């Protein structure tokens, strides 16, 4: 018997209403954050919404249903992509489907005609093919580069999944992004393990929030790995993050982690953290 899905804290039309209300009541000295499941987050600041690495479909469950690596969903879908009608910027950190999902991105791009779409420059051709967009439409970044869009500055940061992989001209295929807006600095890791120079790269940004994966790196899963619960806590501490919020768990039963283990590790190194429920709204002041 299939176990019941982990329920969303807030979902669907109720979540859409929350997002619209946050935009209406927006202030520049705080920002709103929602966890949408897996590595997907939504930031609202100054009346603008940034959607980070959304996966809001069952693409992978359907793709791997009859294989030796089934992607059995553990949690409810937080929001249908067709309800995300107020997005100004969306990102993809790399080409894996839970970070570049046509089932999510096609409706989001269609609903938001003035949207900006940020990707690793190395992935431009692959991205354009997957979401059926003009090759020139995405905004490409490489590590060490930055771009300002609608008051948000995005900095490209390498990600190692499982290595820092580059194309034939040296551009990163797997990325993280530091997003700065107003007085805030937020790091979305994408998928990454710890690599040499990571702390030195991130520490100067004086991060308010580090959004870090915790599902670890188990070769028996047959997929690329991520930071473990212990590594995520330690990385947050070493880069001086004001707050760590974990992600990349509770979606697929074969590739998850216990956020309680992360909480214990964070407490052991005195790293402030917040564990969000699916669809939960959090305001930073």
């Amino acid at each position: 018997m299939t176990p019941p899905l982990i329920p969303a804290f807030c979902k669907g039309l109720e979540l859409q209403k929350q997002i619209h209300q946050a935009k209406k009541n927006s202030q520049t000295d705080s920002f709103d954050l929602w966890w949408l499941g897996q590595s997907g987050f939504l930031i609202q600041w100054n009346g603008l919404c940034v959607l980070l690495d959304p996966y809001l479909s069952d693409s992978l469950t359907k793709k791997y249903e009859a294989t030796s690596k089934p992607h059995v969903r553990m949690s409810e879908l937080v929001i249908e992509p067709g309800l995300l009608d107020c997005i100004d910027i969306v990102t993809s950190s790399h080409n894996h489907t839970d970070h570049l999902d046509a089932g999510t991105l096609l409706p989001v791009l269609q609903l938001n005609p003035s949207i900006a779409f940020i990707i690793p420059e190395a992935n431009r051709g692959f991205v354009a093919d997957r979401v059926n967009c003009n090759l020139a439409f995405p905004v490409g970044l490489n590590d060490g580069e930055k771009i300002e869009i609608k008051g948000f500055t995005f900095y490209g940061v390498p990600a190692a999944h499982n290595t820092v992989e580059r194309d034939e001209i040296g551009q990163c295929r797997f990325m993280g992004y530091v997003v700065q807006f107003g007085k805030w600095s937020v790091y979305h890791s994408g998928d990454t393990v710890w690599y040499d120079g990571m702390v030195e790269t991130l520490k100067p940004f004086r991060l308010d929030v580090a959004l870090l994966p915790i599902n670890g790196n188990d070769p028996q899963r047959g997929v690329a790995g991520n930071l473990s619960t212990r590594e995520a806590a330690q990385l947050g501490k070493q880069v001086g993050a004001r707050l760590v919020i974990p992600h990349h768990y509770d979606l697929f039963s074969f590739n998850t982690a216990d956020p309680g283990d992360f909480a214990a590790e964070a407490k052991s190194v005195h790293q402030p953290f917040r564990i969000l429920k699916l669809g939960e709204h959090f305001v930073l002041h």
Side-chain angles (χ1 to χ4, degrees), residues 1 6 23 91 102 121 123 154 167 205 226 242 256 267:
M1 182 176 177
I6 299 167
K23 284 175 73 81
T91 71
E121 177 60 35
N123 300 344
F154 290 77
D167 66 10
F205 287 105
N226 272 318
R242 176 182 166 197
T256 188
K267 289 175 183 176

Side-chain angles (χ1 to χ4, degrees), residues 182-195:
K183 65 180 183 179
W184 306 102
S185 186
V186 176
Y187 169 54
H188 187 280
S189 62
D191 280 354
T192 191
V193 296
W194 199 312
Y195 58 87

Side-chain angles (χ1 to χ4, degrees), residues 121-125 142 165-173:
E121 177 60 35
N123 300 344
R124 181 175 295 276
N142 194 26
E165 184 179 329
R166 298 183 182 273
D167 66 10
E168 62 279 0
I169 60 172
Q171 300 176 125
C172 272
R173 298 186 186 276

Side-chain angles (χ1 to χ4, degrees), residues 17-27 44 47-48:
K17 183 179 178 181
Q18 266 192 12
I19 297 166
H20 286 175
Q21 193 64 40
K23 284 175 73 81
K24 182 179 178 181
N25 299 333
S26 184
Q27 300 179 16
Q44 189 287 135
L48 298 166

Side-chain angles (χ1 to χ4, degrees), residues 41 61 91 110 137 190 254 264 274 276:
F41 290 87
T61 300
T91 71
Q110 290 166 2
F137 169 63
F254 83 103
R274 176 70 180 257
L276 294 179

Side-chain angles (χ1 to χ4, degrees), residues 155-167:
Y155 295 81
V157 175
H161 195 44
N162 277 359
T163 61
V164 176
E165 184 179 329
R166 298 183 182 273
D167 66 10

Side-chain angles (χ1 to χ4, degrees), residues 2-6 8 36-38 55-62 70-79 98 101 104 249-254 278:
T2 305
L5 295 177
I6 299 167
L36 303 183
Q38 195 66 339
Y55 175 77
L56 299 168
S57 80
D58 282 317
S59 299
L60 288 167
T61 300
K62 294 172 182 176
H71 286 48
V72 178
R73 176 178 275 277
M74 298 174 62
S75 54
E76 285 188 318
L77 179 66
V78 170
I79 191 168
D98 56 333
D101 177 38
T104 299
Y249 64 93
D250 279 0
L251 179 62
F252 299 124
S253 57
F254 83 103
L278 292 160

Side-chain angles (χ1 to χ4, degrees), residues 69-100:
K69 192 167 60 179
H71 286 48
V72 178
R73 176 178 275 277
M74 298 174 62
S75 54
E76 285 188 318
L77 179 66
V78 170
I79 191 168
E80 296 79 7
L83 294 177
L84 293 173
D85 56 357
C86 58
I87 306 302
D88 298 281
I89 303 169
V90 64
T91 71
S92 166
S93 62
H94 62 282
N95 289 342
H96 292 161
T97 301
D98 56 333
H99 299 259
L100 180 70

